[in-house]
Amino acid sequence: MKRYNVPEIADNVFWVGVKDWNRRMFDALIPLPQGTTYNAYLVVGKEKTALIDTVNPGFEQELAGKVDQVANLDDVDYLVMNHAEPDHASAIPFVLNVTEGAKLVTTKKGAKMAQVYSGVPEERIRIVADGDTIDLGGKTLKFIDAPWLHWPETMFTYLVESKVLFPCDFFGSHTAAGFYDDEVEELIPFAKRYYGEIMMPFNKMGKKALDKIAGLEIEIIAPSHGPIHRNPERILEAYGKWTAGETREKVILVYVTMWNSTEAMIKTMAETLLGEGIEVALYNLVNADLGDIAKDLVDSRAIVLGTPTVLGGMHPQAIYAAHLVKALRPPLKYGVVLSSYGWGGGALKQAGEILGPTKIEVVDALEVHGPPTADDEERIVEIGKQLASKIRQG
Ligand code: FEO
């Protein structure tokens, strides 16, 4: 029989998740340069056993092998579903099939999702409300309503005696590297990237959840992706800033260029901002990693979008980026649009239409004919200084 690494993260609490080292894309949207993990946990009480979340499709046997190494999968009494997305919930039918008496424990909305996504019969579901508990015998699971992190049905589970919080996606990172937070050199950059990609649109719900757990004694945060936080204060502090939308004196410049004219404008803007003491992150959309852009959107105070005019509108890559910025809802306060056209403009108008409904104040927009002239360059420097001044005001 295959032997697995099944670490005991707290007294009779075992990691039974899997590492997906080679996955490179999530939700057909998010790049995974270091793969990811689907963390699941087995909590063994004196009388009952609970499995907290499951794994992505294709890893059912590995999950079963790990559970069987420390207990018996068919003895599981409760299968806690903190979140219904298939990367954590797809093995539910497999587990419920093996464990004929086990109940799926989830929120009211989660029950509906479990029926839709996993075909779980109603009689196998136990719905829990905020503050409800289940006693496993010396181990108490307490359920905390935490919706929209990252779907509407999400909840956290807190193991009272061991002071372990299982928040599913919240506090996660997409990396297969390491096991505990202190073993991953790039923990915060990876956590920030993940936050920008997944949690940033739900900042307000994240803040509410943080306020809700503020009174709990937490020794370990055991999320469902990436390292387990045995030093929880580090990630809690980072999440405090990110959910509050704290920004730095920083600009993210994203652009696409066809004949280098837009790039020349963007570079003049970047030079100006750097000269004004403003931090800069710059991405050419043709070869940029979306996760890096998401990471820098978390704390940038302004964005500069550069796009040529193509057939009367923005370049399609820039349209994609603008829509993404709108959807991810970063805490950006200011924006500038720079554009170059060959025979007729139109990109600025379209950029205005896409970004108009956001809270971003467009400080200025400049459209030039062909490569920027010396006068155009001067104008960009002026706009850059104006933007820097706004950024310094907060
Ligand atoms: Fe990791 Fe929203 O699933």
Side-chain angles (χ1 to χ4, degrees):
M1 197 172 81
K2 187 166 172 52
R3 294 296 296 173
Y4 293 104
N5 175 38
V6 184
E8 187 173 8
I9 66 162
D11 180 38
N12 272 321
V13 180
F14 301 89
W15 178 81
V16 291
V18 301
K19 284 182 180 283
D20 196 350
W21 293 98
N22 296 320
R23 186 165 181 177
R24 285 294 173 266
M25 192 56 83
F26 197 91
D27 285 350
L29 180 66
I30 297 167
L32 304 175
Q34 292 188 349
T36 191
T37 65
Y38 318 110
N39 297 331
Y41 302 92
L42 191 73
V43 183
V44 183
K46 287 195 185 83
E47 288 142 28
K48 306 273 186 189
T49 298
L51 178 61
I52 299 184
D53 294 315
T54 70
V55 291
N56 199 70
F59 292 98
E60 294 85 355
Q61 293 302 334
E62 187 169 335
L63 171 74
K66 287 179 177 174
V67 172
D68 283 341
Q69 209 164 293
V70 289
N72 288 312
L73 182 60
D74 47 5
D75 287 344
V76 166
D77 301 284
Y78 300 106
L79 173 47
V80 176
M81 187 188 81
N82 283 318
H83 178 21
E85 194 166 8
D87 52 326
H88 312 293
S90 75
I92 286 172
F94 170 83
V95 174
L96 289 183
N97 202 26
V98 174
T99 59
E100 285 178 10
K103 289 268 186 190
L104 185 79
V105 178
T106 187
T107 60
K108 194 173 174 190
K109 283 185 180 163
K112 179 78 185 153
M113 295 265 197
Q115 286 164 13
V116 170
Y117 276 88
S118 306
V120 180
E122 213 174 328
E123 62 272 17
R124 297 291 302 269
I125 300 176
R126 173 166 168 181
I127 292 173
V128 286
D130 189 45
D132 281 0
T133 57
I134 289 181
D135 183 7
L136 304 177
K139 295 205 177 294
T140 312
L141 300 178
K142 184 171 184 182
F143 305 101
I144 301 165
D145 207 23
W148 291 104
L149 303 171
H150 114 260
W151 282 8
E153 83 297 351
T154 48
M155 68 173 185
F156 299 166
T157 299
Y158 178 63
L159 179 55
V160 177
E161 293 78 6
S162 300
K163 304 180 175 68
V164 181
L165 183 72
F166 302 97
C168 203
D169 276 349
F170 208 53
F171 301 117
S173 308
H174 278 315
T175 174
F179 186 73
Y180 287 112
D181 58 304
D182 47 280
E183 297 167 347
V184 179
E185 194 180 345
E186 292 184 286
L187 177 85
I188 292 299
F190 265 93
K192 189 175 174 190
R193 176 187 171 102
Y194 174 98
Y195 185 88
E197 293 159 338
I198 294 163
M199 293 297 160
M200 191 161 62
F202 311 109
N203 261 356
K204 282 188 185 148
M205 300 313 285
K207 190 164 184 333
K208 268 191 189 171
L210 281 189
D211 291 343
K212 204 164 181 180
I213 62 171
L216 291 180
E217 273 188 80
I218 299 174
E219 288 186 0
I220 294 174
I221 294 177
S224 291
H225 294 291
I228 294 167
H229 304 279
R230 60 182 169 191
N231 307 284
E233 53 291 334
R234 195 167 159 212
I235 195 72
L236 283 167
E237 188 191 339
Y239 263 59
K241 287 183 191 169
W242 300 338
T243 56
E246 275 187 29
T247 57
R248 300 160 60 86
E249 291 188 357
K250 173 176 168 182
V251 177
I252 181 169
L253 299 98
V254 292
Y255 72 99
V256 59
T257 195
M258 292 164 73
W259 293 103
N260 302 330
S261 301
T262 306
E263 184 170 70
M265 298 171 81
I266 285 287
K267 285 193 170 169
T268 301
M269 176 59 79
E271 289 290 311
T272 306
L273 293 167
L274 286 168
E276 292 290 313
I278 304 293
E279 191 180 336
V280 159
L282 186 147
Y283 295 102
N284 182 336
L285 291 163
V286 170
N287 54 23
D289 179 306
L290 177 68
D292 288 333
I293 294 177
K295 171 168 71 69
D296 281 313
L297 283 171
V298 170
D299 58 3
S300 287
R301 199 166 295 167
I303 185 167
V304 176
L305 178 64
T307 175
T309 291
V310 181
L311 302 173
M314 297 163 76
H315 189 286
Q317 296 261 18
I319 295 173
Y320 177 72
H323 274 291
L324 205 62
V325 165
K326 199 171 152 188
L328 290 178
R329 294 190 223 159
L332 295 164
K333 290 190 171 175
Y334 309 109
V336 165
V337 185
L338 300 177
S339 179
S340 164
Y341 62 88
W343 60 89
L348 291 194
K349 183 170 174 284
Q350 192 177 13
E353 284 165 3
I354 298 173
L355 297 177
T358 69
K359 289 181 179 165
I360 301 169
E361 176 193 333
V362 178
V363 174
D364 213 332
L366 179 67
E367 198 166 40
V368 306
H369 188 185
T373 62
D375 283 350
D376 294 332
E377 294 276 340
E378 263 183 44
R379 182 78 190 102
I380 294 166
V381 170
E382 270 175 34
I383 295 171
K385 288 185 174 175
Q386 191 191 353
L387 180 61
S389 164
K390 287 262 189 190
I391 287 168
R392 280 192 293 267
Q393 286 166 25

